[in-house]
């Protein structure tokens, strides 16, 4: 296969064999230079000087002899102009950053297309004024006036910014191209030393680029070598040929570099639909495995329309491919180290050490210190971080005070969490030191890509150390975070590799002028390739069209050209689109695919199209039939549990799921206690129970009266605050804690009001006990000849005597209905669906055994549903007899060696089964 660059080399050598060293070749990218230089080496048979090669951007810089600034410098220069124009009304730097990038992009476009900036911004201002015009004749609001004032000033921004840069001979790309184009027209740049120049493989040219190129073609020293195919060039309905058709009309030289491969050659075109980025990456790996078996990877390219696919694809490349060259850059924002630093900055956005809460938010600290970046540090440092995280989890503190960080700072030897609110420069220095620490201590274990990212970040923060000390800018943490996200995060890190060997992985733009036999193009979805109607600009679509600035239509035509150009040189084409439907991209395949399916069969029957919809085979999770056989050790632990005491919770756990009972009460597994940012229902219940005990304590062993209840009501707030701090180490003054505080207070006040209403109705209530623990033995008749003594234990929230009836009361902060305490016969409770009834049975039976003939009735008061009052077990139930029946069946099953512990498939709330299945497989 003769590639475009191969043809270029042949053409230049044929026409300039005697003056090859005096020839200049301009290409769209630096990457193309490497491949073209190699083509010259292949074709040249004698020793000679090679032509001079430039990318168009480098060529223009060499003509203009100016310094091209990067985005960070441009942002600071533009802010200086902002301060000059706005004076004391200038925005803070972090607010300015929210729109500065957009303005720079528009300035760049205006100059690339050599538009009269004053005219455009004047037109734009008038358009915005019409938008803000009140048809009713009412005067404009203050906001509308400020809005219009901003648009009127854009022309001043443009002119002053441009003048400031020109004075320093510093430029952004568009301004540099415009200056060179204008100076060439005015004869202020000497180009006589350039005898022959080829502009190679271009498509869409800006006005400035056209003028620069025309300067040489008009002087008969410049030649244009086009890379196009008749398929889209001669079809006016094909957007891919839009710009080439325009050039063909204007071009004064022969437009003869046209192929017709898409109309005449045989090609294999496979279109694959698969769900998700990982699915696409895996499919690319499979396609490459086939190519590897055919020894064709030296002429295979993987073109990634979506840069987010880069890492998954690198992971999916088969091991048989040992040479890879990644042409596209790796986005810094995709690196875990980017998120690591971003998470560090966010800690100080929530710094409350100078407010009432006094501290750093624990979740921010936890997220940052748990990051994998710290795994590259030395063992003593990682141990110190792990120990601190353990202490953080057990401290119950939501906001962390400065003094708690001192041991950690001593171990890491970097003051990570000191107060940076008034010293942003110190914060930048700390980040720089932290990056250097990871680079040094992780030198042997960091991947080459991670080393490159950290090197880039280190260089960026070294630069920021200088910039944040700019006296004219009042830097804040918000400014620093915005600068990091909008500037540093927008950069890419280049891969180091051998560009001419092995598999090529690149973005769409990097494929310009290059040709491959097998091309795999991913993410060919609408909204990705082409990117669609989204545009980041202050200039509306209609004004762009009026002034000849590119819109999304031109952008789509550019990517249409790149897409078809890849196809024209390949023999085998694999196009992959994502079928996964999401909010941003919708799973719609690109219109480029629809065009191929409709047009190719009509234009070239030699192109064989195959469509594949792939549903990845997801491995079915094997059904875990975990069975724990009972040995003598387990049986002994069961007997021990009988002696130590069976609680209602243990009994309900077994009836709900025997396997969960095994994990919890035989193995003794405990739930991991995490620091609660939001109050869990269990914790809220504990708080309410403890406060109720405290405020009812003065009325214990006496009749409850109105005075005592009113006194209890008065102490609710103070007791609740103390209990919140005890349980959560936080004052419930705002947010979720404030809401839960009010909920708890509501529950407690409602219970007091309920008791007051009973007193008003003439009821007499004597408080007998609060939060009383009990342990009571019960003899269970297992068979006609055998029995077993079981110990029952628990804690009863409240026991009182209500008009002569002893009530055993359990408070519930959740919703409870009377039906929860009813059942037809004891066997119905063995299914694990009547946990509240069993709890009340156990309490009632234990009390009856301790106090025979007490006529006690156990029941529930739902603090969430107090209108139901005291919901008791049916008085016809013999609690001791029913509990004995339930325990009999349970004990017989528990002590039966032939019945293993198994998960109850109907159980919905197992504590351990779901995440412990694999342990006993």
């Amino acid at each position: 296969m003769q590639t475009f660059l191969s043809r270029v080399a042949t053409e230049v050598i044929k026409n300039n064999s005697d003056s090859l060293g005096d020839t200049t070749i301009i290409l769209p990218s630096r990457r193309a230079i490497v491949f073209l230089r190699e083509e010259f080496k292949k074709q040249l048979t004698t020793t000679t000087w090679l032509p001079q090669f430039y990318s168009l951007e480098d060529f223009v810089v060499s003509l203009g002899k100016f310094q091209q600034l990067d985005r960070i410098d441009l942002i600071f220069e533009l802010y200086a102009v902002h301060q000059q124009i706005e004076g004391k009304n200038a925005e803070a730097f972090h607010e300015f950053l929210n729109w500065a990038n957009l303005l720079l992009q528009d300035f760049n476009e205006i100059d690339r297309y050599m538009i009269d900036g004053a005219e455009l911004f004047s037109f734009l201002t008038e358009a915005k004024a019409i938008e803000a015009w009140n048809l009713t004749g009412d005067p404009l609001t203050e906001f509308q006036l400020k809005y219009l004032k901003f648009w009127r000033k854009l022309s001043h921004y443009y002119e002053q910014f441009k003048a400031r840069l020109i004075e320093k001979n510093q430029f952004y790309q568009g301004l540099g191209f415009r200056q060179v184009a204008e100076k060439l027209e005015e004869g202020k740049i000497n180009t006589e030393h350039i005898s022959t120049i080829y502009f190679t493989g271009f498509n869409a040219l800006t006005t400035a680029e056209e003028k620069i190129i025309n300067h040489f073609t008009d002087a008969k020293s410049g030649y244009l070598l086009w890379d196009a195919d008749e398929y889209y060039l001669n079809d006016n309905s094909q957007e891919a040929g839009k710009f080439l058709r325009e050039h063909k009309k204007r071009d004064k030289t022969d437009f003869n570099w046209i192929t017709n491969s898409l109309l005449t050659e045989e090609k294999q075109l496979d279109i694959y639909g698969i769900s998700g980025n990982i699915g696409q990456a895996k499919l690319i790996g499979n396609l490459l495995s086939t190519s590897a078996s055919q020894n064709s990877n030296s002429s295979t390219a993987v073109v990634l329309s979506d840069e987010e696919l880069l890492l998954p694809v690198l992971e999916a490349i088969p091991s048989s491919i040992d040479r890879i060259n990644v042409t596209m850059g790796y986005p810094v924002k995709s690196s875990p180290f980017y998120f690591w630093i971003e998470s560090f900055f966010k800690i100080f956005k929530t710094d409350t050490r100078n407010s009432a809460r006094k501290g750093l938010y624990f979740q921010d600290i936890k997220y940052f210190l748990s990051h994998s970046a710290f795994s590259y540090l030395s063992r003593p440092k990682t141990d110190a971080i792990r120990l601190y995280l353990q202490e953080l989890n057990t401290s119950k503190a939501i906001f962390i005070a400065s003094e708690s960080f001192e041991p950690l700072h001593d171990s890491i030897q970097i003051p990570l969490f000191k107060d940076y609110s008034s010293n942003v420069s110190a914060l930048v220095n700390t980040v720089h030191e932290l990056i250097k620490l990871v680079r040094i201590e992780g030198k042997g274990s960091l991947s080459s890509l991670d080393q490159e990212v950290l090197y880039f970040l280190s260089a960026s923060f070294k630069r920021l150390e200088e910039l944040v000390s700019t006296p004219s800018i009042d830097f804040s943490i918000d400014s620093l975070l915005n600068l990091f996200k909008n500037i540093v995060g927008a950069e890419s890190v280049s891969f180091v590799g051998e560009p001419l060997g092995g598999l090529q992985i690149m973005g769409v733009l990097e494929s310009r002028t290059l040709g491959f036999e097998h091309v795999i193009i991913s993410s060919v979805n609408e909204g990705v390739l082409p990117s669609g109607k989204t545009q980041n600009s202050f200039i509306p679509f209609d004004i762009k069209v009026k002034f000849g600035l590119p819109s999304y239509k031109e952008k789509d035509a550019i990517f249409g050209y790149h897409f078809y150009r890849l196809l024209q040189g390949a023999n085998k084409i694999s196009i992959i689109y994502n079928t996964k439907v999401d909010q941003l991209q919708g799973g719609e395949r690109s219109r480029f695919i629809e065009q191929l399916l409709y047009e190719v069969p009509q234009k070239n029957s030699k192109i064989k199209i195959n469509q594949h919809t792939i549903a990845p085979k997801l491995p079915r999770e094997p059904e875990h039939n975990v069975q724990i056989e009972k040995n003598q050790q387990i049986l002994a632990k069961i007997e021990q549990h009988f002696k130590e005491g069976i609680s209602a919770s243990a009994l309900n756990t077994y009836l709900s799921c025997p396997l969960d009972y095994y994990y919890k009460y035989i193995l003794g597994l405990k739930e991991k206690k995490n620091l609660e940012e939001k109050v869990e229902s269990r914790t809220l219940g504990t708080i309410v129970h403890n406060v109720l005990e405290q405020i009812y304590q003065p009325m214990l062993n006496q009749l409850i009266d109105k005075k005592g209840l009113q006194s209890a009501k008065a102490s609710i707030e103070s007791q609740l605050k103390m209990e919140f701090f005890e349980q959560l180490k936080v004052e419930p003054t705002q947010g979720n804690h404030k809401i839960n505080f009010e909920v708890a207070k509501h529950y407690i006040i409602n219970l007091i009001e309920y008791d007051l209403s009973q007193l008003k109705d003439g009821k007499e209530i004597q408080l007998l006990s609060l939060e009383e623990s009990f342990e009571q033995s019960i003899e269970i008749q297992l068979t006609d000849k055998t029995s077993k003594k079981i110990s029952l234990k628990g804690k009863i929230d409240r026991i009182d005597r209500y008009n002569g009836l002893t009530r055993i009361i359990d408070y519930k902060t959740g919703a409870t209905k009377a039906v929860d305490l009813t059942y037809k016969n004891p066997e119905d409770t063995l299914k694990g669906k009547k946990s509240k009834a069993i709890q009340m049975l156990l309490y009632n039976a234990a009390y009856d055994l301790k106090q025979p003939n007490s006529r006690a009735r156990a029941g529930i008061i739902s603090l969430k549903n107090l209108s139901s009052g005291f919901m008791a077990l049916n008085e016809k139930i013999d609690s001791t007899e029913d509990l004995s029946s339930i325990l009999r069946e349970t004990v017989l099953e528990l002590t039966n060696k032939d019945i293993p512990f198994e998960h109850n498939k109907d159980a919905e709330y197992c504590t351990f089964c779901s995440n412990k299945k694999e342990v006993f497989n």
Side-chain angles (χ1 to χ4, degrees):
M1 179 186 80
Q2 187 180 27
T3 65
F4 170 71
L5 292 180
S6 174
R7 290 166 55 217
V8 169
T10 303
E11 176 79 4
V12 173
I13 291 171
K14 182 180 74 173
N15 294 330
N16 304 274
S17 57
D18 296 332
S19 57
L20 198 58
D22 296 327
T23 304
T24 302
I25 301 177
I26 311 299
L27 294 117
S29 68
R30 293 171 184 167
R31 177 64 58 178
I33 294 172
V34 178
F35 284 85
L36 182 56
R37 185 180 282 118
E38 189 66 17
E39 289 296 336
F40 273 96
K41 291 178 183 177
K42 290 177 183 178
Q43 295 187 29
L44 287 170
T45 55
T46 59
T47 302
T48 182
W49 292 103
L50 285 175
Q52 296 183 68
F53 301 97
Y54 291 95
S55 69
L56 182 57
E57 186 172 354
D58 290 341
F59 178 65
V60 171
V61 171
S62 70
L63 288 176
K65 295 181 173 55
F66 57 80
Q67 178 188 359
Q68 188 163 316
L69 299 181
D70 62 20
R71 284 208 298 166
I72 292 181
D73 282 324
L74 288 171
I75 287 288
F76 278 81
E77 291 290 343
L78 185 58
Y79 188 65
V81 171
H82 171 69
Q83 290 177 311
Q84 184 180 340
I85 291 174
E86 302 295 343
K88 64 181 181 180
N89 295 321
E91 293 183 358
F93 190 63
H94 71 275
E95 294 173 340
F96 164 80
L97 284 172
N98 292 328
W99 52 270
N101 261 323
L102 213 57
L103 197 58
L104 282 175
Q105 290 174 28
D106 285 339
F107 288 174
N108 193 52
E109 286 290 278
I110 288 169
D111 285 326
R112 277 159 52 90
Y113 287 85
M114 302 184 74
I115 305 297
D116 185 328
E119 183 184 356
L120 184 147
F121 285 119
S122 174
F123 192 92
L124 178 59
T125 301
E126 294 305 316
K128 294 299 178 181
I130 292 173
E131 285 181 13
W133 180 31
N134 291 331
L135 295 177
T136 59
D138 294 336
L140 297 180
T141 64
E142 185 179 346
F143 175 79
Q144 288 174 313
L145 291 170
K146 285 185 69 176
Y147 177 76
L148 289 177
K149 190 176 181 182
F150 172 78
W151 293 107
R152 290 193 186 101
K153 286 183 177 179
L154 287 184
S155 179
H156 298 298
Y157 275 95
Y158 172 70
E159 295 297 339
Q160 291 191 33
F161 184 55
K162 189 166 71 168
R164 180 184 178 91
L165 294 182
I166 291 173
E167 184 181 357
K168 297 180 178 182
N169 198 35
Q170 295 174 334
F171 297 88
Y172 49 86
Q173 187 198 59
L175 182 57
F177 274 63
R178 181 172 194 155
Q179 288 285 300
V180 169
E182 290 174 347
K183 287 181 178 180
L184 284 172
E185 280 189 324
E186 296 166 2
K188 294 181 178 179
I189 296 178
N190 182 11
T191 59
E192 293 180 359
H193 62 287
I194 302 175
S195 58
T196 305
I197 184 168
Y198 291 90
F199 295 92
T200 305
F202 290 95
N203 170 42
L205 295 171
T206 67
T207 306
E209 289 167 348
E210 279 194 28
K211 286 184 176 294
I212 292 169
I213 292 172
N214 288 343
H215 171 83
F216 293 97
T217 56
D218 290 347
K220 306 300 182 183
S221 61
Y223 302 91
L224 286 158
L225 303 181
W226 303 103
D227 185 7
D229 193 274
E230 290 181 8
Y231 182 92
Y232 51 84
L233 179 65
N234 297 327
D235 185 348
N236 289 332
S237 63
Q238 276 283 356
E239 59 191 339
K242 170 181 169 60
F243 295 102
L244 291 171
R245 287 191 292 271
E246 293 173 0
H247 293 315
K248 189 176 181 181
K249 288 179 183 178
R250 293 193 300 264
D251 195 7
K252 298 174 184 178
T253 61
D254 293 333
F255 203 89
N256 55 7
W257 275 67
I258 311 301
T259 65
N260 63 351
S261 66
L262 286 173
L263 292 173
T264 61
E265 294 180 3
E266 293 184 3
K267 297 178 187 291
Q268 179 184 337
L269 173 57
D270 291 286
I271 299 172
Y272 300 89
I274 191 167
S275 178
N277 283 350
I278 300 301
Q280 289 190 81
K282 294 291 185 184
L283 176 57
I284 289 170
N286 292 339
L287 294 174
L288 291 174
S289 294
T290 305
S291 295
S293 64
Q294 298 172 358
N295 299 315
S296 59
N297 277 311
S298 60
S299 189
T300 298
V302 176
V303 180
L304 304 181
S305 307
D306 181 0
E307 63 184 15
E308 296 295 329
L309 265 179
L310 179 57
L311 282 187
V313 166
L314 290 175
E315 291 290 335
I317 291 174
S319 57
S320 57
I321 299 176
D322 56 355
R323 297 184 68 193
I324 301 169
N325 179 55
V326 180
T327 303
M328 63 191 300
Y330 173 60
V332 172
K333 67 181 180 183
S334 297
S335 166
F337 293 105
Y338 170 84
F339 294 104
W340 175 53
I341 294 172
E342 184 183 31
S343 70
F344 184 60
F345 286 145
K346 286 181 177 178
I347 290 173
F348 302 100
K349 280 180 68 70
T350 57
D351 190 346
T352 60
R353 282 177 289 196
N354 296 317
S355 69
R357 289 182 290 180
K358 308 284 184 188
L360 300 180
Y361 185 42
F362 86 99
Q363 284 284 32
D364 292 341
I365 299 289
K366 186 176 178 181
Y367 182 83
F368 172 67
L369 290 178
S370 300
H371 196 279
S372 59
F374 287 106
S375 65
Y376 296 103
L377 300 185
S378 61
R379 184 62 178 270
K381 292 184 176 68
T382 56
D383 285 347
I385 292 170
R386 186 171 60 253
L387 179 62
Y388 183 80
L389 284 171
Q390 290 173 356
E391 293 173 352
L392 189 65
N393 280 329
T394 56
S395 69
K396 294 186 178 181
I398 303 298
F399 293 95
I400 315 301
S402 298
E403 54 269 18
S404 72
F405 301 122
E406 292 177 6
L408 181 64
H409 290 168
D410 291 342
S411 300
I412 299 178
Q413 298 175 339
I414 295 178
L416 290 175
F417 305 119
K418 76 176 191 179
D419 188 353
Y420 294 108
S421 56
S422 59
N423 193 350
V424 177
S425 180
L427 177 58
V428 174
N429 179 260
T430 295
V431 176
H432 192 196
E433 291 300 314
L434 190 58
I435 294 169
K436 286 196 294 185
L437 181 66
V438 173
R439 285 182 65 202
I440 293 169
E441 298 198 356
K443 192 172 183 179
S445 50
L446 285 164
S447 68
S448 56
L449 176 58
D450 286 339
Q451 290 178 39
E452 288 295 325
V453 171
L454 286 171
Y455 175 80
F456 169 81
L457 290 172
S458 180
S460 297
F461 276 91
K462 185 177 180 180
R463 180 101 180 279
L464 285 174
E465 280 184 294
E466 301 169 4
L467 294 173
V468 296
S469 59
T470 304
S472 60
I473 299 178
D474 184 15
F475 253 93
S476 66
I477 291 172
D478 283 334
S479 305
L480 187 59
L481 181 57
N482 273 3
L483 195 62
F484 176 72
K485 290 168 68 174
N486 295 326
I487 307 300
V488 177
E491 299 295 333
S492 294
V493 173
S494 299
F495 284 81
V496 177
E498 172 50 57
L500 299 171
L503 173 70
Q504 303 289 322
I505 300 177
M506 60 186 63
V508 176
L509 290 178
E510 285 79 15
S511 70
R512 289 174 293 182
T513 74
L514 306 182
F516 304 92
E517 292 181 9
H518 181 194
V519 175
I520 301 171
I521 312 175
S522 71
S523 301
V524 187
N525 284 79
E526 203 66 22
V528 181
L529 185 66
S531 58
K533 296 183 179 181
T534 56
Q535 61 176 35
N536 294 320
S537 174
F538 281 118
I539 306 170
F541 172 80
D542 54 343
I543 297 180
K544 279 179 177 281
V545 172
K546 173 177 172 55
F547 283 87
L549 287 172
S551 66
Y552 67 87
K553 289 185 177 181
E554 285 71 28
K555 189 175 181 181
D556 286 357
I558 290 170
F559 280 90
Y561 167 76
H562 294 318
F563 177 77
Y564 279 97
R565 203 206 64 77
L566 278 167
L567 271 52
Q568 73 194 38
N571 298 325
K572 183 178 180 182
I573 304 146
S574 303
I575 295 175
I576 305 171
Y577 66 94
N578 185 356
T579 60
K580 183 178 180 181
V581 177
D582 62 32
Q583 292 179 337
L584 296 178
Q585 296 169 6
E588 180 184 358
R589 64 186 182 184
S590 171
R591 63 176 177 268
F592 295 161
I593 294 177
E594 304 301 337
Q595 289 169 7
L596 290 173
L597 292 173
Y598 176 74
E599 295 173 349
V600 166
Q602 301 177 48
K603 294 185 176 183
N604 185 0
S605 60
K606 293 180 182 179
I607 298 179
K608 305 301 180 185
I609 301 179
N610 301 302
Q611 294 191 67
H612 315 267
T613 300
I614 300 174
K617 293 182 180 179
L618 299 175
R620 289 186 63 187
E621 185 178 349
E623 292 186 10
H624 294 276
N625 187 21
V626 180
Q627 289 188 342
I628 307 299
E629 302 293 338
K630 295 171 184 170
N631 55 30
Q632 290 303 317
Q633 185 180 6
I634 290 175
L635 290 170
K637 286 195 173 184
I638 292 171
E639 291 293 341
Q640 183 182 351
H641 194 193
F642 292 157
K643 292 177 183 177
E644 290 177 350
I646 297 287
S647 65
S649 176
L651 182 56
N652 278 317
T653 299
Y654 181 80
L655 294 175
S656 177
C657 177
L659 187 60
D660 208 39
Y661 169 86
Y662 167 77
Y663 291 138
K664 194 170 184 180
Y665 295 99
I666 303 304
L667 288 187
L669 298 183
K670 302 291 184 185
E671 286 187 75
K672 183 181 178 181
K673 290 186 177 181
N674 292 318
L675 203 160
E676 295 178 35
E677 179 182 0
K678 295 182 178 179
V679 182
E680 295 180 2
S681 56
R682 183 183 301 178
T683 305
L684 183 63
T686 299
I687 290 171
V688 170
H689 280 69
N690 289 349
V691 172
L692 284 173
E693 180 184 8
Q694 293 297 321
I695 65 175
Y696 272 84
Q697 190 71 34
M699 293 176 273
L700 191 59
N701 297 318
Q702 56 184 296
L703 290 174
I704 293 177
D705 58 16
K706 182 178 178 181
K707 183 179 178 181
L709 290 174
Q710 293 292 1
S711 177
K713 188 189 288 190
S715 64
I716 290 174
E717 287 226 12
S718 60
Q719 292 290 347
L720 259 179
K721 287 179 181 178
M722 290 171 59
E723 193 61 34
F724 259 85
F725 193 82
E726 177 67 26
Q727 296 295 328
L728 299 166
K729 296 296 184 287
V730 67
E731 293 181 7
T733 56
Q734 56 189 347
N736 182 267
H737 293 108
K738 176 65 173 176
I739 293 171
N740 281 283
F741 177 85
E742 294 299 330
V743 169
K745 186 169 75 170
H746 175 74
Y747 285 162
I748 297 167
I749 288 174
N750 282 359
L751 179 63
I752 293 174
E753 293 293 344
Y754 171 75
D755 282 340
L756 281 168
S757 69
Q758 299 301 300
L759 296 182
K760 288 179 183 178
D761 289 342
K763 304 297 189 296
E764 187 178 85
I765 305 172
Q766 183 182 3
L767 196 57
L768 302 179
S769 72
L770 293 168
E771 298 296 330
E772 180 179 318
S773 297
F774 68 85
E775 188 167 341
Q776 182 65 45
S777 295
I778 183 171
E779 189 80 20
I780 307 299
Q781 194 70 34
L782 300 178
T783 66
D784 292 340
K785 297 180 180 180
T786 60
S787 63
K788 183 177 288 291
K789 184 177 285 188
I790 304 292
S791 179
L792 306 176
K793 69 176 183 179
K795 181 186 281 189
I796 299 172
D797 294 337
R798 168 172 161 176
I799 301 176
D800 64 21
R801 187 166 290 115
Y802 180 86
N803 277 3
L805 171 67
T806 301
R807 299 189 303 180
I808 302 166
I809 301 172
D810 188 71
Y811 300 130
K812 298 291 185 190
T813 52
T816 302
K817 299 177 182 178
V819 69
D820 296 331
L821 300 173
T822 62
Y823 55 87
K824 291 182 179 180
N825 54 66
E827 286 72 23
D828 293 340
T829 64
L830 296 174
K831 300 175 183 178
K833 302 294 185 182
K834 289 289 182 179
S835 60
K836 293 183 176 71
I838 286 179
Q839 182 186 5
M840 294 303 101
L841 273 177
L842 191 145
Y843 286 4
N844 222 142
Y847 193 84
D848 287 346
L849 288 167
K850 184 178 180 181
Q851 303 282 349
N853 303 317
S854 65
R855 289 185 58 248
R857 290 181 65 194
I860 290 172
I861 290 180
S862 172
L863 301 176
K864 196 172 186 177
N865 185 26
L866 266 169
S867 59
S868 299
F870 176 65
M871 293 173 281
L873 286 170
N874 193 306
E875 60 183 3
K876 296 180 180 179
I877 291 176
D878 187 326
S879 56
T880 304
E881 183 177 336
D882 283 5
L883 182 67
S884 296
S885 176
I886 294 166
L887 286 173
R888 181 184 305 112
E889 296 300 322
T890 304
V891 170
L892 286 171
E893 197 172 289
L894 266 171
T895 56
N896 189 334
K897 189 176 181 181
D898 297 327
I899 300 177
F901 289 105
E902 290 184 283
H903 173 65
N904 177 6
K905 62 181 181 180
D906 295 325
E908 298 178 352
Y909 302 107
C910 294
T911 305
F912 298 104
C913 288
S914 59
N915 55 11
K916 294 297 178 185
K917 290 176 182 177
E918 70 280 1
V919 177
F920 299 99
N921 242 359

